[in-house]
Amino acid sequence: RQLSRLDPSHLPGNYRTRVFIGGSYAATRRPLLGELSGAVRERAFEPIVADDYQLIIAPRDIHDVTLSLLHACRLGIFELSEMSGALMEIERTVDYGTRCLLLHADPFDRGWQVSRMLSSFVREHSDRLKLVRYNLPASALAEAKRWLEAMKRMAYDAHGL
């Protein structure tokens, strides 16, 4: 893990190139978030991982700063296999107009399982949210790479994403 002290007031790239990466920062999931960040960089986007900014954020401000980071991104990738604050962030993506890929490990992984409420929310906002189950971290990474390529292609559509 990078132990940088990134300033949330000075984000890399711009709104069109930033990709928020959310999920659990527990040791069991953090490596995948790092790999997702690498995939984002490989496709000429800027990964924004809230955990990289928390070293200089006061604990009472983490919620507000995390939502501010999310709001500054056009795209988001969330790894949902463990409980985290990501569900609250995903709910806000609809208000922010953020397009998101939501990844979760196969339930046989014994991780967190997708609730009916989240499934319903994704169906309701299927134009912005894509929910994908994966078996291995490599398949989650491959899915993220495909999705990022699709988002790059969509950047030139009539909607001006």
PDB file of all heavy atoms in Angstrom, residues 113-151:
ATOM      1  N   GLN A 113     -22.722 -10.696   0.968  1.00  0.00           N
ATOM      2  CA  GLN A 113     -23.600 -11.036  -0.144  1.00  0.00           C
ATOM      3  C   GLN A 113     -24.456  -9.833  -0.526  1.00  0.00           C
ATOM      4  O   GLN A 113     -24.821  -9.027   0.313  1.00  0.00           O
ATOM      5  CB  GLN A 113     -24.490 -12.208   0.238  1.00  0.00           C
ATOM      6  CG  GLN A 113     -23.676 -13.481   0.426  1.00  0.00           C
ATOM      7  CD  GLN A 113     -24.584 -14.677   0.623  1.00  0.00           C
ATOM      8  OE1 GLN A 113     -25.740 -14.660   0.246  1.00  0.00           O
ATOM      9  NE2 GLN A 113     -24.036 -15.723   1.208  1.00  0.00           N
ATOM     10  N   VAL A 114     -24.760  -9.744  -1.795  1.00  0.00           N
ATOM     11  CA  VAL A 114     -25.571  -8.651  -2.318  1.00  0.00           C
ATOM     12  C   VAL A 114     -26.993  -8.757  -1.760  1.00  0.00           C
ATOM     13  O   VAL A 114     -27.614  -9.807  -1.832  1.00  0.00           O
ATOM     14  CB  VAL A 114     -25.593  -8.690  -3.859  1.00  0.00           C
ATOM     15  CG1 VAL A 114     -26.535  -7.644  -4.411  1.00  0.00           C
ATOM     16  CG2 VAL A 114     -24.190  -8.490  -4.405  1.00  0.00           C
ATOM     17  N   SER A 115     -27.468  -7.672  -1.216  1.00  0.00           N
ATOM     18  CA  SER A 115     -28.817  -7.649  -0.654  1.00  0.00           C
ATOM     19  C   SER A 115     -29.848  -7.434  -1.757  1.00  0.00           C
ATOM     20  O   SER A 115     -29.529  -6.966  -2.847  1.00  0.00           O
ATOM     21  CB  SER A 115     -28.927  -6.527   0.376  1.00  0.00           C
ATOM     22  OG  SER A 115     -28.864  -5.270  -0.285  1.00  0.00           O
ATOM     23  N   ARG A 116     -31.084  -7.759  -1.429  1.00  0.00           N
ATOM     24  CA  ARG A 116     -32.174  -7.486  -2.373  1.00  0.00           C
ATOM     25  C   ARG A 116     -32.295  -5.993  -2.644  1.00  0.00           C
ATOM     26  O   ARG A 116     -32.611  -5.576  -3.744  1.00  0.00           O
ATOM     27  CB  ARG A 116     -33.495  -7.986  -1.794  1.00  0.00           C
ATOM     28  CG  ARG A 116     -33.741  -9.415  -2.048  1.00  0.00           C
ATOM     29  CD  ARG A 116     -35.228  -9.641  -1.861  1.00  0.00           C
ATOM     30  NE  ARG A 116     -35.455 -10.938  -1.272  1.00  0.00           N
ATOM     31  CZ  ARG A 116     -36.551 -11.258  -0.631  1.00  0.00           C
ATOM     32  NH1 ARG A 116     -37.494 -10.360  -0.455  1.00  0.00           N
ATOM     33  NH2 ARG A 116     -36.715 -12.448  -0.154  1.00  0.00           N
ATOM     34  N   MET A 117     -32.046  -5.199  -1.609  1.00  0.00           N
ATOM     35  CA  MET A 117     -32.156  -3.755  -1.762  1.00  0.00           C
ATOM     36  C   MET A 117     -31.123  -3.242  -2.771  1.00  0.00           C
ATOM     37  O   MET A 117     -31.452  -2.441  -3.645  1.00  0.00           O
ATOM     38  CB  MET A 117     -31.980  -3.057  -0.420  1.00  0.00           C
ATOM     39  CG  MET A 117     -32.327  -1.583  -0.483  1.00  0.00           C
ATOM     40  SD  MET A 117     -32.523  -0.812   1.140  1.00  0.00           S
ATOM     41  CE  MET A 117     -30.882  -0.881   1.785  1.00  0.00           C
ATOM     42  N   LEU A 118     -29.878  -3.717  -2.662  1.00  0.00           N
ATOM     43  CA  LEU A 118     -28.853  -3.283  -3.616  1.00  0.00           C
ATOM     44  C   LEU A 118     -29.180  -3.779  -5.021  1.00  0.00           C
ATOM     45  O   LEU A 118     -29.081  -3.025  -5.982  1.00  0.00           O
ATOM     46  CB  LEU A 118     -27.464  -3.761  -3.199  1.00  0.00           C
ATOM     47  CG  LEU A 118     -26.341  -3.378  -4.168  1.00  0.00           C
ATOM     48  CD1 LEU A 118     -26.235  -1.861  -4.320  1.00  0.00           C
ATOM     49  CD2 LEU A 118     -25.016  -3.966  -3.716  1.00  0.00           C
ATOM     50  N   SER A 119     -29.607  -5.023  -5.135  1.00  0.00           N
ATOM     51  CA  SER A 119     -29.977  -5.560  -6.451  1.00  0.00           C
ATOM     52  C   SER A 119     -31.084  -4.733  -7.087  1.00  0.00           C
ATOM     53  O   SER A 119     -31.040  -4.410  -8.276  1.00  0.00           O
ATOM     54  CB  SER A 119     -30.424  -7.017  -6.335  1.00  0.00           C
ATOM     55  OG  SER A 119     -29.368  -7.821  -5.914  1.00  0.00           O
ATOM     56  N   SER A 120     -32.074  -4.375  -6.296  1.00  0.00           N
ATOM     57  CA  SER A 120     -33.182  -3.557  -6.783  1.00  0.00           C
ATOM     58  C   SER A 120     -32.692  -2.168  -7.194  1.00  0.00           C
ATOM     59  O   SER A 120     -33.090  -1.629  -8.232  1.00  0.00           O
ATOM     60  CB  SER A 120     -34.253  -3.448  -5.692  1.00  0.00           C
ATOM     61  OG  SER A 120     -35.267  -2.582  -6.097  1.00  0.00           O
ATOM     62  N   PHE A 121     -31.824  -1.587  -6.396  1.00  0.00           N
ATOM     63  CA  PHE A 121     -31.269  -0.264  -6.685  1.00  0.00           C
ATOM     64  C   PHE A 121     -30.499  -0.287  -8.011  1.00  0.00           C
ATOM     65  O   PHE A 121     -30.642   0.615  -8.839  1.00  0.00           O
ATOM     66  CB  PHE A 121     -30.354   0.168  -5.530  1.00  0.00           C
ATOM     67  CG  PHE A 121     -29.856   1.572  -5.631  1.00  0.00           C
ATOM     68  CD1 PHE A 121     -30.683   2.657  -5.358  1.00  0.00           C
ATOM     69  CD2 PHE A 121     -28.540   1.828  -5.993  1.00  0.00           C
ATOM     70  CE1 PHE A 121     -30.220   3.955  -5.440  1.00  0.00           C
ATOM     71  CE2 PHE A 121     -28.063   3.122  -6.084  1.00  0.00           C
ATOM     72  CZ  PHE A 121     -28.899   4.194  -5.804  1.00  0.00           C
ATOM     73  N   VAL A 122     -29.724  -1.334  -8.219  1.00  0.00           N
ATOM     74  CA  VAL A 122     -28.952  -1.466  -9.460  1.00  0.00           C
ATOM     75  C   VAL A 122     -29.900  -1.610 -10.648  1.00  0.00           C
ATOM     76  O   VAL A 122     -29.697  -0.991 -11.696  1.00  0.00           O
ATOM     77  CB  VAL A 122     -27.962  -2.649  -9.377  1.00  0.00           C
ATOM     78  CG1 VAL A 122     -27.368  -2.964 -10.742  1.00  0.00           C
ATOM     79  CG2 VAL A 122     -26.862  -2.340  -8.362  1.00  0.00           C
ATOM     80  N   ARG A 123     -30.950  -2.417 -10.506  1.00  0.00           N
ATOM     81  CA  ARG A 123     -31.921  -2.563 -11.601  1.00  0.00           C
ATOM     82  C   ARG A 123     -32.584  -1.227 -11.923  1.00  0.00           C
ATOM     83  O   ARG A 123     -32.773  -0.866 -13.076  1.00  0.00           O
ATOM     84  CB  ARG A 123     -32.990  -3.600 -11.242  1.00  0.00           C
ATOM     85  CG  ARG A 123     -32.582  -5.015 -11.551  1.00  0.00           C
ATOM     86  CD  ARG A 123     -33.749  -5.984 -11.479  1.00  0.00           C
ATOM     87  NE  ARG A 123     -34.465  -5.980 -10.215  1.00  0.00           N
ATOM     88  CZ  ARG A 123     -34.093  -6.621  -9.125  1.00  0.00           C
ATOM     89  NH1 ARG A 123     -33.000  -7.335  -9.123  1.00  0.00           N
ATOM     90  NH2 ARG A 123     -34.827  -6.560  -8.020  1.00  0.00           N
ATOM     91  N   GLU A 124     -32.933  -0.493 -10.890  1.00  0.00           N
ATOM     92  CA  GLU A 124     -33.592   0.799 -11.073  1.00  0.00           C
ATOM     93  C   GLU A 124     -32.690   1.803 -11.790  1.00  0.00           C
ATOM     94  O   GLU A 124     -33.174   2.671 -12.512  1.00  0.00           O
ATOM     95  CB  GLU A 124     -34.004   1.355  -9.713  1.00  0.00           C
ATOM     96  CG  GLU A 124     -34.777   2.638  -9.786  1.00  0.00           C
ATOM     97  CD  GLU A 124     -35.182   3.139  -8.405  1.00  0.00           C
ATOM     98  OE1 GLU A 124     -35.210   2.344  -7.443  1.00  0.00           O
ATOM     99  OE2 GLU A 124     -35.486   4.337  -8.296  1.00  0.00           O
ATOM    100  N   HIS A 125     -31.380   1.678 -11.592  1.00  0.00           N
ATOM    101  CA  HIS A 125     -30.426   2.618 -12.173  1.00  0.00           C
ATOM    102  C   HIS A 125     -29.446   1.903 -13.118  1.00  0.00           C
ATOM    103  O   HIS A 125     -28.256   2.227 -13.160  1.00  0.00           O
ATOM    104  CB  HIS A 125     -29.668   3.343 -11.060  1.00  0.00           C
ATOM    105  CG  HIS A 125     -30.576   4.096 -10.148  1.00  0.00           C
ATOM    106  ND1 HIS A 125     -31.198   5.263 -10.521  1.00  0.00           N
ATOM    107  CD2 HIS A 125     -31.010   3.821  -8.891  1.00  0.00           C
ATOM    108  CE1 HIS A 125     -31.965   5.687  -9.532  1.00  0.00           C
ATOM    109  NE2 HIS A 125     -31.871   4.827  -8.535  1.00  0.00           N
ATOM    110  N   SER A 126     -29.976   0.968 -13.884  1.00  0.00           N
ATOM    111  CA  SER A 126     -29.127   0.150 -14.752  1.00  0.00           C
ATOM    112  C   SER A 126     -28.427   0.952 -15.849  1.00  0.00           C
ATOM    113  O   SER A 126     -27.464   0.478 -16.436  1.00  0.00           O
ATOM    114  CB  SER A 126     -29.938  -0.989 -15.377  1.00  0.00           C
ATOM    115  OG  SER A 126     -30.987  -0.456 -16.172  1.00  0.00           O
ATOM    116  N   ASP A 127     -28.885   2.159 -16.099  1.00  0.00           N
ATOM    117  CA  ASP A 127     -28.206   3.007 -17.075  1.00  0.00           C
ATOM    118  C   ASP A 127     -26.878   3.529 -16.521  1.00  0.00           C
ATOM    119  O   ASP A 127     -26.011   3.950 -17.283  1.00  0.00           O
ATOM    120  CB  ASP A 127     -29.094   4.182 -17.494  1.00  0.00           C
ATOM    121  CG  ASP A 127     -29.481   5.071 -16.317  1.00  0.00           C
ATOM    122  OD1 ASP A 127     -29.735   4.540 -15.208  1.00  0.00           O
ATOM    123  OD2 ASP A 127     -29.542   6.298 -16.500  1.00  0.00           O
ATOM    124  N   ARG A 128     -26.708   3.492 -15.211  1.00  0.00           N
ATOM    125  CA  ARG A 128     -25.499   4.024 -14.568  1.00  0.00           C
ATOM    126  C   ARG A 128     -24.712   2.979 -13.782  1.00  0.00           C
ATOM    127  O   ARG A 128     -23.537   3.164 -13.528  1.00  0.00           O
ATOM    128  CB  ARG A 128     -25.868   5.150 -13.604  1.00  0.00           C
ATOM    129  CG  ARG A 128     -26.471   6.318 -14.295  1.00  0.00           C
ATOM    130  CD  ARG A 128     -25.755   7.573 -13.897  1.00  0.00           C
ATOM    131  NE  ARG A 128     -26.068   8.620 -14.828  1.00  0.00           N
ATOM    132  CZ  ARG A 128     -25.194   9.147 -15.670  1.00  0.00           C
ATOM    133  NH1 ARG A 128     -23.974   8.734 -15.686  1.00  0.00           N
ATOM    134  NH2 ARG A 128     -25.545  10.116 -16.482  1.00  0.00           N
ATOM    135  N   LEU A 129     -25.370   1.919 -13.327  1.00  0.00           N
ATOM    136  CA  LEU A 129     -24.729   0.942 -12.451  1.00  0.00           C
ATOM    137  C   LEU A 129     -24.703  -0.434 -13.096  1.00  0.00           C
ATOM    138  O   LEU A 129     -25.704  -0.879 -13.652  1.00  0.00           O
ATOM    139  CB  LEU A 129     -25.485   0.849 -11.122  1.00  0.00           C
ATOM    140  CG  LEU A 129     -25.676   2.143 -10.332  1.00  0.00           C
ATOM    141  CD1 LEU A 129     -26.564   1.895  -9.117  1.00  0.00           C
ATOM    142  CD2 LEU A 129     -24.342   2.729  -9.916  1.00  0.00           C
ATOM    143  N   LYS A 130     -23.561  -1.093 -12.970  1.00  0.00           N
ATOM    144  CA  LYS A 130     -23.421  -2.467 -13.466  1.00  0.00           C
ATOM    145  C   LYS A 130     -22.890  -3.316 -12.312  1.00  0.00           C
ATOM    146  O   LYS A 130     -21.832  -3.024 -11.757  1.00  0.00           O
ATOM    147  CB  LYS A 130     -22.457  -2.512 -14.650  1.00  0.00           C
ATOM    148  CG  LYS A 130     -22.261  -3.909 -15.200  1.00  0.00           C
ATOM    149  CD  LYS A 130     -21.316  -3.921 -16.380  1.00  0.00           C
ATOM    150  CE  LYS A 130     -21.175  -5.342 -16.913  1.00  0.00           C
ATOM    151  NZ  LYS A 130     -20.241  -5.396 -18.038  1.00  0.00           N
ATOM    152  N   LEU A 131     -23.623  -4.357 -11.955  1.00  0.00           N
ATOM    153  CA  LEU A 131     -23.257  -5.254 -10.860  1.00  0.00           C
ATOM    154  C   LEU A 131     -22.731  -6.556 -11.447  1.00  0.00           C
ATOM    155  O   LEU A 131     -23.407  -7.192 -12.251  1.00  0.00           O
ATOM    156  CB  LEU A 131     -24.492  -5.519  -9.985  1.00  0.00           C
ATOM    157  CG  LEU A 131     -24.321  -6.418  -8.774  1.00  0.00           C
ATOM    158  CD1 LEU A 131     -23.348  -5.803  -7.760  1.00  0.00           C
ATOM    159  CD2 LEU A 131     -25.683  -6.665  -8.120  1.00  0.00           C
ATOM    160  N   VAL A 132     -21.512  -6.946 -11.043  1.00  0.00           N
ATOM    161  CA  VAL A 132     -20.872  -8.139 -11.588  1.00  0.00           C
ATOM    162  C   VAL A 132     -20.315  -8.998 -10.460  1.00  0.00           C
ATOM    163  O   VAL A 132     -19.585  -8.506  -9.605  1.00  0.00           O
ATOM    164  CB  VAL A 132     -19.717  -7.749 -12.549  1.00  0.00           C
ATOM    165  CG1 VAL A 132     -18.986  -8.985 -13.049  1.00  0.00           C
ATOM    166  CG2 VAL A 132     -20.246  -6.926 -13.711  1.00  0.00           C
ATOM    167  N   ARG A 133     -20.663 -10.277 -10.489  1.00  0.00           N
ATOM    168  CA  ARG A 133     -20.107 -11.242  -9.530  1.00  0.00           C
ATOM    169  C   ARG A 133     -18.856 -11.860 -10.152  1.00  0.00           C
ATOM    170  O   ARG A 133     -18.818 -12.133 -11.347  1.00  0.00           O
ATOM    171  CB  ARG A 133     -21.129 -12.323  -9.239  1.00  0.00           C
ATOM    172  CG  ARG A 133     -20.634 -13.316  -8.186  1.00  0.00           C
ATOM    173  CD  ARG A 133     -21.683 -14.309  -7.841  1.00  0.00           C
ATOM    174  NE  ARG A 133     -21.922 -15.171  -8.986  1.00  0.00           N
ATOM    175  CZ  ARG A 133     -22.992 -15.917  -9.138  1.00  0.00           C
ATOM    176  NH1 ARG A 133     -23.947 -15.897  -8.248  1.00  0.00           N
ATOM    177  NH2 ARG A 133     -23.133 -16.686 -10.190  1.00  0.00           N
ATOM    178  N   TYR A 134     -17.838 -12.064  -9.329  1.00  0.00           N
ATOM    179  CA  TYR A 134     -16.610 -12.690  -9.821  1.00  0.00           C
ATOM    180  C   TYR A 134     -16.194 -13.829  -8.903  1.00  0.00           C
ATOM    181  O   TYR A 134     -16.593 -13.884  -7.744  1.00  0.00           O
ATOM    182  CB  TYR A 134     -15.488 -11.663  -9.970  1.00  0.00           C
ATOM    183  CG  TYR A 134     -14.975 -11.081  -8.668  1.00  0.00           C
ATOM    184  CD1 TYR A 134     -13.937 -11.682  -7.969  1.00  0.00           C
ATOM    185  CD2 TYR A 134     -15.527  -9.917  -8.146  1.00  0.00           C
ATOM    186  CE1 TYR A 134     -13.470 -11.138  -6.777  1.00  0.00           C
ATOM    187  CE2 TYR A 134     -15.066  -9.373  -6.965  1.00  0.00           C
ATOM    188  CZ  TYR A 134     -14.040  -9.984  -6.281  1.00  0.00           C
ATOM    189  OH  TYR A 134     -13.584  -9.453  -5.109  1.00  0.00           O
ATOM    190  N   ASN A 135     -15.397 -14.748  -9.456  1.00  0.00           N
ATOM    191  CA  ASN A 135     -14.923 -15.894  -8.679  1.00  0.00           C
ATOM    192  C   ASN A 135     -13.523 -15.675  -8.121  1.00  0.00           C
ATOM    193  O   ASN A 135     -13.238 -16.066  -7.008  1.00  0.00           O
ATOM    194  CB  ASN A 135     -14.930 -17.161  -9.531  1.00  0.00           C
ATOM    195  CG  ASN A 135     -16.342 -17.569  -9.894  1.00  0.00           C
ATOM    196  OD1 ASN A 135     -17.249 -17.466  -9.074  1.00  0.00           O
ATOM    197  ND2 ASN A 135     -16.542 -18.007 -11.112  1.00  0.00           N
ATOM    198  N   LEU A 136     -12.659 -15.080  -8.916  1.00  0.00           N
ATOM    199  CA  LEU A 136     -11.270 -14.857  -8.530  1.00  0.00           C
ATOM    200  C   LEU A 136     -10.919 -13.388  -8.734  1.00  0.00           C
ATOM    201  O   LEU A 136     -11.473 -12.748  -9.639  1.00  0.00           O
ATOM    202  CB  LEU A 136     -10.327 -15.714  -9.385  1.00  0.00           C
ATOM    203  CG  LEU A 136     -10.510 -17.227  -9.296  1.00  0.00           C
ATOM    204  CD1 LEU A 136      -9.708 -17.922 -10.375  1.00  0.00           C
ATOM    205  CD2 LEU A 136     -10.108 -17.723  -7.910  1.00  0.00           C
ATOM    206  N   PRO A 137      -9.978 -12.846  -7.956  1.00  0.00           N
ATOM    207  CA  PRO A 137      -9.574 -11.453  -8.176  1.00  0.00           C
ATOM    208  C   PRO A 137      -9.161 -11.165  -9.627  1.00  0.00           C
ATOM    209  O   PRO A 137      -9.457 -10.092 -10.140  1.00  0.00           O
ATOM    210  CB  PRO A 137      -8.404 -11.271  -7.211  1.00  0.00           C
ATOM    211  CG  PRO A 137      -8.705 -12.227  -6.096  1.00  0.00           C
ATOM    212  CD  PRO A 137      -9.318 -13.433  -6.778  1.00  0.00           C
ATOM    213  N   ALA A 138      -8.539 -12.125 -10.283  1.00  0.00           N
ATOM    214  CA  ALA A 138      -8.137 -11.917 -11.683  1.00  0.00           C
ATOM    215  C   ALA A 138      -9.353 -11.682 -12.576  1.00  0.00           C
ATOM    216  O   ALA A 138      -9.299 -10.883 -13.514  1.00  0.00           O
ATOM    217  CB  ALA A 138      -7.323 -13.114 -12.192  1.00  0.00           C
ATOM    218  N   SER A 139     -10.462 -12.359 -12.287  1.00  0.00           N
ATOM    219  CA  SER A 139     -11.662 -12.142 -13.115  1.00  0.00           C
ATOM    220  C   SER A 139     -12.290 -10.784 -12.798  1.00  0.00           C
ATOM    221  O   SER A 139     -12.853 -10.138 -13.688  1.00  0.00           O
ATOM    222  CB  SER A 139     -12.663 -13.285 -12.957  1.00  0.00           C
ATOM    223  OG  SER A 139     -13.067 -13.433 -11.618  1.00  0.00           O
ATOM    224  N   ALA A 140     -12.188 -10.320 -11.555  1.00  0.00           N
ATOM    225  CA  ALA A 140     -12.675  -8.977 -11.217  1.00  0.00           C
ATOM    226  C   ALA A 140     -11.853  -7.933 -11.962  1.00  0.00           C
ATOM    227  O   ALA A 140     -12.399  -6.970 -12.511  1.00  0.00           O
ATOM    228  CB  ALA A 140     -12.582  -8.744  -9.714  1.00  0.00           C
ATOM    229  N   LEU A 141     -10.564  -8.129 -11.992  1.00  0.00           N
ATOM    230  CA  LEU A 141      -9.671  -7.201 -12.688  1.00  0.00           C
ATOM    231  C   LEU A 141      -9.959  -7.194 -14.191  1.00  0.00           C
ATOM    232  O   LEU A 141     -10.023  -6.123 -14.808  1.00  0.00           O
ATOM    233  CB  LEU A 141      -8.219  -7.591 -12.412  1.00  0.00           C
ATOM    234  CG  LEU A 141      -7.154  -6.592 -12.784  1.00  0.00           C
ATOM    235  CD1 LEU A 141      -7.374  -5.245 -12.128  1.00  0.00           C
ATOM    236  CD2 LEU A 141      -5.782  -7.144 -12.414  1.00  0.00           C
ATOM    237  N   ALA A 142     -10.163  -8.358 -14.770  1.00  0.00           N
ATOM    238  CA  ALA A 142     -10.483  -8.445 -16.202  1.00  0.00           C
ATOM    239  C   ALA A 142     -11.799  -7.731 -16.502  1.00  0.00           C
ATOM    240  O   ALA A 142     -11.920  -7.015 -17.501  1.00  0.00           O
ATOM    241  CB  ALA A 142     -10.549  -9.909 -16.645  1.00  0.00           C
ATOM    242  N   GLU A 143     -12.787  -7.910 -15.640  1.00  0.00           N
ATOM    243  CA  GLU A 143     -14.078  -7.230 -15.823  1.00  0.00           C
ATOM    244  C   GLU A 143     -13.907  -5.718 -15.744  1.00  0.00           C
ATOM    245  O   GLU A 143     -14.486  -4.969 -16.530  1.00  0.00           O
ATOM    246  CB  GLU A 143     -15.080  -7.711 -14.774  1.00  0.00           C
ATOM    247  CG  GLU A 143     -16.462  -7.138 -14.949  1.00  0.00           C
ATOM    248  CD  GLU A 143     -17.155  -7.554 -16.234  1.00  0.00           C
ATOM    249  OE1 GLU A 143     -17.021  -8.718 -16.640  1.00  0.00           O
ATOM    250  OE2 GLU A 143     -17.838  -6.695 -16.832  1.00  0.00           O
ATOM    251  N   ALA A 144     -13.107  -5.263 -14.786  1.00  0.00           N
ATOM    252  CA  ALA A 144     -12.864  -3.824 -14.647  1.00  0.00           C
ATOM    253  C   ALA A 144     -12.184  -3.265 -15.893  1.00  0.00           C
ATOM    254  O   ALA A 144     -12.542  -2.178 -16.367  1.00  0.00           O
ATOM    255  CB  ALA A 144     -12.019  -3.549 -13.406  1.00  0.00           C
ATOM    256  N   LYS A 145     -11.239  -3.985 -16.444  1.00  0.00           N
ATOM    257  CA  LYS A 145     -10.541  -3.524 -17.652  1.00  0.00           C
ATOM    258  C   LYS A 145     -11.506  -3.418 -18.824  1.00  0.00           C
ATOM    259  O   LYS A 145     -11.481  -2.436 -19.569  1.00  0.00           O
ATOM    260  CB  LYS A 145      -9.379  -4.459 -17.984  1.00  0.00           C
ATOM    261  CG  LYS A 145      -8.235  -4.354 -16.999  1.00  0.00           C
ATOM    262  CD  LYS A 145      -7.144  -5.364 -17.311  1.00  0.00           C
ATOM    263  CE  LYS A 145      -6.003  -5.258 -16.308  1.00  0.00           C
ATOM    264  NZ  LYS A 145      -4.925  -6.224 -16.602  1.00  0.00           N
ATOM    265  N   ARG A 146     -12.379  -4.413 -18.981  1.00  0.00           N
ATOM    266  CA  ARG A 146     -13.379  -4.363 -20.066  1.00  0.00           C
ATOM    267  C   ARG A 146     -14.314  -3.172 -19.873  1.00  0.00           C
ATOM    268  O   ARG A 146     -14.641  -2.454 -20.816  1.00  0.00           O
ATOM    269  CB  ARG A 146     -14.191  -5.657 -20.106  1.00  0.00           C
ATOM    270  CG  ARG A 146     -13.499  -6.816 -20.762  1.00  0.00           C
ATOM    271  CD  ARG A 146     -14.442  -7.989 -21.013  1.00  0.00           C
ATOM    272  NE  ARG A 146     -14.946  -8.587 -19.790  1.00  0.00           N
ATOM    273  CZ  ARG A 146     -14.318  -9.507 -19.075  1.00  0.00           C
ATOM    274  NH1 ARG A 146     -13.142  -9.961 -19.472  1.00  0.00           N
ATOM    275  NH2 ARG A 146     -14.862  -9.996 -17.976  1.00  0.00           N
ATOM    276  N   TRP A 147     -14.758  -2.970 -18.646  1.00  0.00           N
ATOM    277  CA  TRP A 147     -15.674  -1.878 -18.360  1.00  0.00           C
ATOM    278  C   TRP A 147     -15.012  -0.528 -18.623  1.00  0.00           C
ATOM    279  O   TRP A 147     -15.625   0.373 -19.209  1.00  0.00           O
ATOM    280  CB  TRP A 147     -16.146  -1.996 -16.910  1.00  0.00           C
ATOM    281  CG  TRP A 147     -17.141  -0.958 -16.505  1.00  0.00           C
ATOM    282  CD1 TRP A 147     -18.477  -0.940 -16.777  1.00  0.00           C
ATOM    283  CD2 TRP A 147     -16.870   0.224 -15.748  1.00  0.00           C
ATOM    284  NE1 TRP A 147     -19.049   0.180 -16.222  1.00  0.00           N
ATOM    285  CE2 TRP A 147     -18.081   0.914 -15.591  1.00  0.00           C
ATOM    286  CE3 TRP A 147     -15.715   0.766 -15.188  1.00  0.00           C
ATOM    287  CZ2 TRP A 147     -18.177   2.116 -14.894  1.00  0.00           C
ATOM    288  CZ3 TRP A 147     -15.811   1.966 -14.492  1.00  0.00           C
ATOM    289  CH2 TRP A 147     -17.034   2.622 -14.357  1.00  0.00           C
ATOM    290  N   LEU A 148     -13.760  -0.373 -18.205  1.00  0.00           N
ATOM    291  CA  LEU A 148     -13.040   0.890 -18.445  1.00  0.00           C
ATOM    292  C   LEU A 148     -12.903   1.168 -19.934  1.00  0.00           C
ATOM    293  O   LEU A 148     -13.070   2.309 -20.377  1.00  0.00           O
ATOM    294  CB  LEU A 148     -11.667   0.856 -17.772  1.00  0.00           C
ATOM    295  CG  LEU A 148     -11.685   0.971 -16.250  1.00  0.00           C
ATOM    296  CD1 LEU A 148     -10.344   0.537 -15.665  1.00  0.00           C
ATOM    297  CD2 LEU A 148     -12.045   2.383 -15.812  1.00  0.00           C
ATOM    298  N   GLU A 149     -12.613   0.141 -20.715  1.00  0.00           N
ATOM    299  CA  GLU A 149     -12.528   0.317 -22.176  1.00  0.00           C
ATOM    300  C   GLU A 149     -13.878   0.751 -22.737  1.00  0.00           C
ATOM    301  O   GLU A 149     -13.951   1.632 -23.596  1.00  0.00           O
ATOM    302  CB  GLU A 149     -12.041  -0.963 -22.856  1.00  0.00           C
ATOM    303  CG  GLU A 149     -10.576  -1.242 -22.645  1.00  0.00           C
ATOM    304  CD  GLU A 149      -9.659  -0.137 -23.171  1.00  0.00           C
ATOM    305  OE1 GLU A 149      -9.958   0.469 -24.224  1.00  0.00           O
ATOM    306  OE2 GLU A 149      -8.642   0.128 -22.507  1.00  0.00           O
ATOM    307  N   ALA A 150     -14.952   0.165 -22.242  1.00  0.00           N
ATOM    308  CA  ALA A 150     -16.290   0.559 -22.692  1.00  0.00           C
ATOM    309  C   ALA A 150     -16.582   2.008 -22.305  1.00  0.00           C
ATOM    310  O   ALA A 150     -17.174   2.762 -23.093  1.00  0.00           O
ATOM    311  CB  ALA A 150     -17.345  -0.376 -22.098  1.00  0.00           C
ATOM    312  N   MET A 151     -16.162   2.417 -21.134  1.00  0.00           N
ATOM    313  CA  MET A 151     -16.377   3.798 -20.699  1.00  0.00           C
ATOM    314  C   MET A 151     -15.563   4.767 -21.561  1.00  0.00           C
ATOM    315  O   MET A 151     -16.042   5.865 -21.865  1.00  0.00           O
ATOM    316  CB  MET A 151     -16.012   3.982 -19.222  1.00  0.00           C
ATOM    317  CG  MET A 151     -16.918   3.251 -18.249  1.00  0.00           C
ATOM    318  SD  MET A 151     -18.668   3.753 -18.353  1.00  0.00           S
ATOM    319  CE  MET A 151     -19.373   2.380 -19.248  1.00  0.00           C
TER     320      MET A 151
END
